[in-house]
Amino acid sequence: MSDRIFATVWLVLCGIGLVIGWGIHSEYSYEPLGPRPFPIAIISLMVLCASLLLLKKPDTVHWPTPQVLRRLVLLIVSLAMYAWSFEWLGFPLATTLLTICVALLFNATLLTAIISGVFLGSSLFFAFDRLLDVTLPIGSWLS
């Protein structure tokens, strides 16, 4: 039952998000597609997932262990720190640090976490900034 309650609330929030996303307009075109398609696409995927969650057969409830709950709290803190430091650190460094934190939460070795963090931070910045022409912050600490 909690899955269905969550899915219903999430569908309502997605509907509000779609209305807000549809109203996004830009005075000038600084990107090829403009600011509207990305939020609409992400929210549409969330609507699909919430609908599937609403329609699926309910499972028995298994609450996570204290260790899993601790990791979830650390993940939420990591994401909040990422959002807080995104503009100041810049996309490449903030994404690198977030990837390292998430990899360590999923029991990766430190070397693997660092390598994947550096690769993901730099390759995603290159893909968004150069290939897709999406402007991302490089970091105000560099200026």
Side-chain angles (χ1 to χ4, degrees):
M1 188 62 169
S2 60
D3 288 349
R4 293 195 173 151
I5 293 171
F6 173 77
T8 304
V9 169
W10 197 250
L11 281 172
V12 169
L13 291 174
C14 286
I16 294 168
L18 282 172
V19 169
I20 292 171
W22 191 258
I24 296 175
H25 295 289
S26 177
E27 296 295 324
Y28 55 92
S29 179
Y30 56 90
E31 294 174 0
L33 295 176
R36 185 186 299 175
F38 183 71
I40 298 270
I42 295 297
I43 294 173
S44 298
L45 287 174
M46 288 192 293
V47 166
L48 174 69
C49 292
S51 300
L52 292 174
L53 186 62
L54 187 64
L55 299 175
K56 81 174 184 100
K57 180 182 166 215
D59 296 331
T60 58
V61 176
H62 299 286
W63 291 99
T65 63
Q67 180 185 11
V68 172
L69 287 174
R70 182 178 55 86
R71 286 183 179 188
L72 287 173
V73 168
L74 288 173
L75 181 63
I76 291 169
V77 168
S78 298
L79 290 170
M81 294 296 293
Y82 177 73
W84 175 76
S85 66
F86 183 77
E87 196 171 321
W88 182 72
L89 289 178
F91 180 83
L93 184 57
T95 303
T96 298
L97 293 174
L98 177 70
T99 305
I100 291 170
C101 289
V102 171
L104 291 174
L105 284 174
F106 282 92
N107 293 329
T109 63
L110 184 60
L111 180 62
T112 307
I114 291 172
I115 290 171
S116 62
V118 170
F119 176 76
L120 198 62
S122 58
S123 63
L124 283 177
F125 181 75
F126 176 77
F128 278 104
D129 194 56
R130 302 284 186 245
L131 300 177
L132 297 174
D133 252 355
V134 175
T135 307
L136 293 172
I138 193 72
S140 61
W141 65 278
L142 290 174
S143 52

